């Protein structure tokens, strides 16, 4: 399981087809999505309308305009809906009194070249409505996107735009179909459910990570306890080791004399001589103190749901 530290499924979006099932999740703004997750952690009973104060709509990376329709709320409520996307356009004055319809942003997943080609074909087919188109060109450069549809001076650019919205890719629909694997099976879910599953997953990941870190910290603290005993009784430890014929015998003597475990006794035998200096002794005690604080903090997270929520909130 990948420990997604933010709700990537919503932020990045996803589309794909599996066996008889499709999914099409629109991308969202990172900051808005994280704010919504935190709001749902703070209040698990939060309503959809409250959530939509944080995530008002999807956020498509290619820009354009998302029409504000009831479909947005329907998509967040049920996991299905049809969003209408439009290119961002404005009208400029062109040469010889002609008007320029300038396109600066196009709808999500629309190919610019194919879109302009389609407009050209339409202008040839629909002579009545689009016969006034004089020229179509792509003026994009490294400063940004700019495609131009030039219309004759007697034409109304707004009417031309309405026809283009209807028949070309200047306006398209994005079919929201939020299907994801939850609890081992595909589920269609709205915004609240998707955030709920994500929060459960995050709690699971953080709990497992905390348990692992606690295990590691306790194992290290156990060894440090043995080393501190050895350094505090240094002369006796050295005498014991020197009087032993084999490492096994030395280990057994240490265990008997200081009531150590096998792991601690082995750590003492593996200790390098430089650890016997005063500075090293202080470092051992400092590391041990820090570890005790860490163990206390990790145990507190595992015992308290509120502290677990705090960790998830801070990390996001």
């Amino acid at each position: 399981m990948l420990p997604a530290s933010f709700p990537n499924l919503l932020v990045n979006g996803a589309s794909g087809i599996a066996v008889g099932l499709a999914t099409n999740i629109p991308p969202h703004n990172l900051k808005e999505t994280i704010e919504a997750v935190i709001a749902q952690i703070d209040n698990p009973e939060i309503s959809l309308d409250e959530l939509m104060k944080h995530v008002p709509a999807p956020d498509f990376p290619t820009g354009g305009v998302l029409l504000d329709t009831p479909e947005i709320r329907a998509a967040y409520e049920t996991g299905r809906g049809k969003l209408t996307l439009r290119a961002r356009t404005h009208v400029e004055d062109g040469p010889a009194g002609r008007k320029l319809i300038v396109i600066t942003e196009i709808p999500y997943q629309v190919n610019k070249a194919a879109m302009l080609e389609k407009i050209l074909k339409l202008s040839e087919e629909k002579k009545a409505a689009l016969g006034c188109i004089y020229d179509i060109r792509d003026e994009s450069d490294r400063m940004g996107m700019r495609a131009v549809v030039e219309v004759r001076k007697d034409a109304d650019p707004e009417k031309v735009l309405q026809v283009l919205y209807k028949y070309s890719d200047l306006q398209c629909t994005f079919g929201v179909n939020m299907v994801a694997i939850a609890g081992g099976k595909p589920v269609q879910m709205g915004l609240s459910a998707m955030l709920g599953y994500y929060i459960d997953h995050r709690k699971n990941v953080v709990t497992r990570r905390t348990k692992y870190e606690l295990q590691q910290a306790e194992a290290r603290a156990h060894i440090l306890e043995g080393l501190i005993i050895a350094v505090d009784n240094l002369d006796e430890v050295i005498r014991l080791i020197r009087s032993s014929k084999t490492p096994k015998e030395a280990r057994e003597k240490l265990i008997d004399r200081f009531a150590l475990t096998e792991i601690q006794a082995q750590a003492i035998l593996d200790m390098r001589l430089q650890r016997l200096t005063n500075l090293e002794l202080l470092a051992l005690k400092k590391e041990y103190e820090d570890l005790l604080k860490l163990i206390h903090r990790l145990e507190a997270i595992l015992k308290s749901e509120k502290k677990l929520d705090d960790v998830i909130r801070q990390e996001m």
Side-chain angles (χ1 to χ4, degrees), residues 59-71:
D59 188 355
F60 294 100
T62 51
V65 180
L66 172 63
L67 299 195
D68 188 2
T69 64
E71 286 282 331

Side-chain angles (χ1 to χ4, degrees), residues 38 41-42 44 199 203 206 301 304-316:
I38 289 170
I41 288 174
D42 292 343
I199 292 164
K203 282 180 178 175
V206 174
I301 292 170
S304 159
E305 186 86 9
K306 185 182 175 301
K307 285 200 168 82
L308 180 66
D309 288 346
D310 288 345
V311 171
I312 294 170
R313 196 181 288 111
Q314 282 160 11
E315 287 181 0
M316 272 199 281

